[in-house]
């Protein structure tokens, strides 16, 4: 059996129409097929490869760690340098008060830990989240998701969940002294890149302060330089009580984290002890790769280039069929009239060597979230391909 047959026969499928692009190698912003096919990855593996595929600093860090040790013990028992150095590097990017890091394996797992932490710390039961929010696919993360289409087949889900509209200040009145936490994506991703204004975020922070509600910000997609700041909440002059990250954190390796103050995080230490457990969280190879990723983002000044590169995309992607471009940095949605218009364009882009897709809750918009390392010339090539795909019928 060839690779495609093995894929279809033995790997669990999530749709009847997977992309079925076979990849043999990846480097920088490009993926390569077994027959010489070359694809520009304009979605960075869905927000993962912020510093490109197989960044040299990440590869070096992985090789160095392989010569020392792999998994040793469940999280939080042994003193392991890769975890320690990564936690310190993360804290160094954050404002005072976000100084305690719990390392996990993925964004969904980080969300689960953050929800447990908030409920345990506050001894409250209600969680508020937003309509059209996406926080992951595990049971708890799905419970706070904001789209019923993806939830209805799995009910009953967690009780005590209320959805409010993202960015609508009047609805902050639903936050009360019964609310353990409100969780929202700083920038809504799967809703098609929706950005609330600074006034909303300040009102949100104030309402949480008034009611003793913890503010959880999900930056699984928006973190690690994607928006032109290391953390997207920096755009809004606030800070969360709990921050969730993953995706772009690992340079291509699986890792995630939820981050809070030591005071809040200590709630997981008693009643019961071992309040959150992970076997592989903070895996030393992933932790080493993540530390190298942070260093690459900062040392190569990738964040300072984001806005200029985003503006280049916007200046080039002009066409009567493009109705709107929404973005925060290189987290972009290019809107068309409908999915029926967009889907053939995406298919032609892939055939032309540029990989993009749409959003779970916004299927009339094209996702653009390339590696932050993408060059201006590569942006021009990508936009040329997109425009050609729009013009072809």
């Amino acid at each position: 059996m060839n690779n495609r047959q093995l894929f279809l026969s033995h790997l669990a499928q999530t749709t009847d129409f997977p992309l079925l692009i076979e990849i043999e190698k990846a480097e920088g912003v490009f993926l390569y097929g077994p027959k010489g096919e070359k694809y520009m990855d304009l979605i960075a593996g869905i927000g993962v490869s912020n510093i490109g595929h197989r960044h040299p600093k990440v590869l070096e860090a992985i090789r160095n760690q392989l010569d020392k040790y792999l998994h040793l013990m469940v999280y939080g028992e042994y003193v392991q340098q890769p975890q320690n150095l990564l936690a310190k590097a993360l804290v160094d990017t954050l404002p005072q008060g976000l100084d305690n890091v719990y390392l996990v394996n993925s964004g969904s797992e980080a969300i689960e830990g953050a929800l447990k932490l908030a409920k345990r710390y506050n001894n409250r039961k209600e969680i508020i989240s937003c309509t059209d929010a996406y926080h992951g696919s595990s049971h708890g993360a799905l419970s706070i998701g904001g789209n019923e289409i993806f939830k209805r087949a799995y009910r009953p889900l967690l009780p005590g969940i209320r959805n409010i509209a993202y960015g609508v200040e009047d609805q902050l009145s639903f936050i009360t002294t019964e609310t353990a936490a409100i969780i929202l994506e700083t920038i809504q991703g799967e809703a098609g890149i929706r950005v609330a204004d600074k006034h909303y975020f300040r009102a949100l922070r104030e309402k949480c302060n008034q009611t003793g509600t913890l503010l959880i910000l999900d930056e699984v997609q928006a973190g690690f330089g994607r928006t032109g700041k290391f953390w997207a909440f920096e755009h809004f002059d606030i800070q969360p009580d709990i921050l969730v990250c993953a995706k772009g954190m690992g340079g291509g390796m699986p890792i995630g984290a939820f981050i809070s103050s030591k005071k809040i995080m200590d709630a997981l230490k008693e009643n019961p002890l071992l309040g959150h457990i992970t076997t592989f969280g903070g895996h030393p190879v992933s932790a080493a790769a993540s530390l190298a990723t942070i260093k690459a983002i900062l040392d190569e000044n990738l964040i300072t280039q984001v806005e200029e590169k985003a503006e280049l995309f916007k200046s080039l992607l002009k066409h009567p069929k493009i109705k709107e471009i929404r973005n925060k940095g290189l987290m972009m949605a290019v809107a068309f009239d409908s999915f029926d218009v967009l889907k053939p364009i995406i298919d032609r882009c892939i055939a032309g060597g540029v990989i993009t897709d749409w959003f779970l809750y916004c299927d009339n918009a094209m996702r653009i979230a390339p590696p932050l390392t993408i060059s201006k010339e590569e942006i021009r090539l990508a936009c040329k391909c997109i425009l050609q795909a729009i013009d072809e019928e």
Side-chain angles (χ1 to χ4, degrees):
M1 299 177 77
N2 62 32
N3 277 336
R4 180 172 295 205
Q5 291 168 326
L6 289 169
F7 173 87
L8 293 172
S9 297
H10 299 303
L11 280 178
Q13 303 295 302
T14 56
T15 73
D16 288 324
F17 43 89
L19 286 173
L20 287 175
I21 301 172
E22 188 173 347
I23 301 300
E24 190 172 80
K25 184 180 178 181
E27 196 84 39
V29 301
F30 290 102
L31 310 176
Y32 299 90
K35 298 179 181 179
E37 305 96 330
K38 182 179 179 180
Y39 305 95
M40 187 183 298
D41 186 0
L42 216 57
I43 53 177
I46 311 296
V48 169
S49 301
N50 282 15
I51 59 170
H53 296 276
R54 300 180 70 250
H55 191 286
K57 290 181 180 178
V58 171
L59 297 183
E60 181 183 11
I62 290 171
R63 292 188 187 106
N64 289 340
Q65 185 56 40
L66 290 177
D67 289 334
K68 296 175 182 177
Y69 54 84
L70 303 181
H71 173 76
L72 298 177
M73 179 58 163
V74 297
Y75 175 82
E77 298 296 331
Y78 292 172
V79 178
Q80 300 181 51
Q81 187 180 57
Q83 296 178 351
N84 299 337
L85 295 179
L86 172 58
K88 177 61 165 61
L90 285 166
V91 168
D92 285 346
T93 68
L94 289 163
Q96 187 175 3
L98 290 169
D99 57 9
N100 226 237
V101 179
Y102 194 118
L103 296 170
V104 293
N105 303 286
S106 69
S108 289
E109 188 181 336
I111 291 291
E112 300 286 347
L115 294 177
K116 286 176 64 181
L117 176 60
K119 293 169 78 173
R120 177 66 190 85
Y121 179 77
N122 259 347
N123 290 313
R124 301 175 184 178
K125 298 179 180 179
E126 182 183 67
I127 301 288
I128 293 178
S129 59
C130 292
T131 53
D132 284 338
Y134 181 80
H135 297 290
S137 194
S138 55
H139 201 80
L142 187 64
S143 299
I144 58 170
N147 190 291
E148 184 61 25
I149 292 172
F150 287 86
K151 296 165 67 170
R152 63 170 65 109
Y154 302 101
R155 290 192 178 279
L157 295 166
L158 290 182
I161 308 297
R162 178 195 292 271
N163 285 149
I164 64 173
Y166 171 85
V168 179
E169 190 172 334
D170 288 349
Q171 297 213 352
L172 298 180
S173 62
F174 287 107
I175 302 171
T176 73
T177 54
E178 300 298 313
T179 310
I182 177 169
I183 179 168
L184 66 161
E185 299 160 274
T186 313
I187 312 295
Q188 281 202 315
E190 297 310 314
I193 315 303
R194 309 292 176 174
V195 187
D197 60 31
K198 188 177 291 187
H199 189 272
Y200 170 80
F201 278 103
R202 288 175 175 170
L204 170 64
R205 179 68 270 179
E206 181 59 29
K207 186 66 173 179
C208 289
N209 293 344
Q210 291 170 0
T211 58
T213 300
L214 296 185
L215 172 58
I216 306 173
L217 291 183
D218 177 345
E219 299 215 359
V220 169
Q221 288 195 52
F224 290 84
R226 171 64 50 194
T227 68
K229 301 279 190 183
F230 198 96
W231 302 105
F233 69 79
E234 297 177 68
H235 292 285
F236 305 106
D237 297 334
I238 63 156
Q239 70 181 69
D241 299 297
I242 304 173
L243 177 67
V244 177
C245 56
K247 284 191 181 289
M249 178 178 179
M253 293 292 287
I255 192 167
F258 57 102
I259 305 169
S260 190
S261 67
K262 189 175 190 305
K263 178 183 177 182
I264 293 173
M265 200 72 83
D266 278 352
L268 296 176
K269 292 166 59 176
E270 57 185 8
N271 296 324
L273 55 76
L274 298 174
H276 193 65
I277 300 172
T278 172
T279 297
F280 294 111
H283 190 283
V285 176
S286 291
S290 182
L291 177 61
T293 298
I294 294 171
K295 289 180 177 178
I297 290 170
L298 298 177
D299 292 349
E300 296 173 23
N301 297 314
L302 295 179
I303 297 172
T304 61
Q305 303 170 35
V306 165
E307 194 56 41
E308 185 179 4
K309 291 176 179 179
E311 289 302 315
L312 181 57
F313 269 110
K314 291 164 72 174
S315 70
L316 294 172
L317 290 177
K318 295 186 181 299
H319 193 282
K321 290 186 179 179
I322 295 176
K323 303 305 176 184
E324 180 186 16
I325 298 180
R326 299 183 296 273
N327 81 296
K328 197 69 174 174
L330 286 172
M331 195 173 177
M332 311 183 77
V334 182
F336 295 82
D337 276 336
S338 67
F339 179 74
D340 290 338
V341 173
L342 174 61
K343 181 58 166 64
I345 294 170
I346 288 174
D347 292 342
R348 292 192 290 266
C349 282
I350 294 173
V354 170
I355 295 177
T356 182
D357 72 345
W358 62 93
F359 298 88
L360 282 179
Y361 310 151
C362 184
D363 65 7
N364 71 318
M366 176 186 290
R367 184 196 307 265
I368 295 181
L372 308 185
T373 54
I374 192 170
S375 70
K376 292 179 181 178
E377 182 56 32
E378 289 162 345
I379 291 172
R380 293 186 182 95
L381 288 172
C383 291
K384 180 180 180 181
C385 179
I386 293 169
L387 293 172
Q388 287 176 343
I390 294 172
D391 283 330
E392 291 173 9
E393 294 292 343

